[in-house]
Amino acid sequence: MVSPKVVINELLVDVFNHILSIESDVLKQKGVRLSMTEVHVLEAVRNVDVPTMGNVAHKLRVTLGTLTTSVNVLVRKEFLKRDRDEADRRKVYLSLTDSAHKVLSIHDEFHDEMIDSLFKDLDLEKDEVLLKSLENISQYFKQRY
């Protein structure tokens, strides 16, 4: 008999991999010519309160060097702009271009459709165990990583 831990691990890995693969395919079909890593960098820039290189790297849980590589590509492709702080030239702010906003709109639409289709037959208000389990998984990853 396979242990519940093994089953849950396989399910989480399988779901994660499927989401990334489908997400990438859907974005390509809609004309987005960026990698999922690049799209997630744009998303992180949008979702941090103060979009400095340091804050975005922290949000993505990557080093500044790793983020710099992605940012350089996204600046070259004209999806990001980079501006230095006038008072402290070491601080670099990132901002999204119109092209980036369009990509993120497509990305958000994918996530909305995915969630809607996954949960169309579920009533999460009634399925408290599922909801609590998902919250616990989310909290675990936020605290641990």
Side-chain angles (χ1 to χ4, degrees):
M1 182 171 156
V2 179
S3 78
K5 280 184 172 183
V6 170
V7 172
I8 290 170
N9 181 64
E10 288 177 3
L11 286 171
L12 285 174
V13 169
D14 197 40
V15 167
F16 177 78
N17 288 333
H18 275 91
I19 289 171
L20 281 180
S21 175
I22 293 167
E23 184 176 36
S24 178
D25 291 346
V26 168
L27 293 181
K28 283 179 186 169
Q29 290 169 6
K30 294 193 176 196
V32 175
R33 299 291 175 241
L34 297 176
S35 70
M36 288 314 306
T37 298
E38 291 166 339
V39 172
H40 290 144
V41 169
L42 297 177
E43 185 178 42
V45 169
R46 179 188 64 190
N47 292 343
V48 295
D49 292 332
V50 180
T52 62
M53 289 286 289
N55 289 346
V56 173
H58 179 75
K59 172 91 174 160
L60 291 169
R61 295 178 179 88
V62 298
T63 65
L64 276 173
T66 298
L67 179 62
T68 298
T69 301
S70 293
V71 166
N72 287 342
V73 171
L74 289 164
V75 167
R76 189 179 72 249
K77 291 181 178 182
E78 298 183 349
F79 287 92
L80 282 179
K81 289 187 265 180
R82 199 181 343 219
D83 296 298
R84 291 205 177 270
D85 187 297
E86 291 300 319
D88 183 353
R89 304 286 296 159
R90 296 170 298 173
K91 194 177 284 189
V92 177
Y93 293 94
L94 300 172
S95 59
L96 302 170
T97 65
D98 288 342
S99 297
H101 285 289
K102 289 176 189 168
V103 166
L104 289 173
S105 177
I106 293 167
H107 182 247
D108 291 344
E109 184 180 305
F110 165 77
H111 278 269
D112 290 344
E113 289 173 6
M114 176 182 64
I115 296 301
D116 289 347
S117 71
L118 288 174
F119 293 111
K120 69 181 175 189
D121 295 328
L122 296 176
D123 185 348
L124 287 181
E125 292 174 5
K126 291 181 182 173
D127 198 346
E128 293 177 29
V129 173
L130 175 61
L131 190 57
K132 184 63 179 166
S133 296
L134 292 171
E135 288 173 353
N136 287 344
I137 290 169
S138 177
Q139 280 305 112
Y140 169 80
F141 285 116
K142 284 179 183 174
Q143 291 172 356
R144 179 98 176 176
Y145 303 98

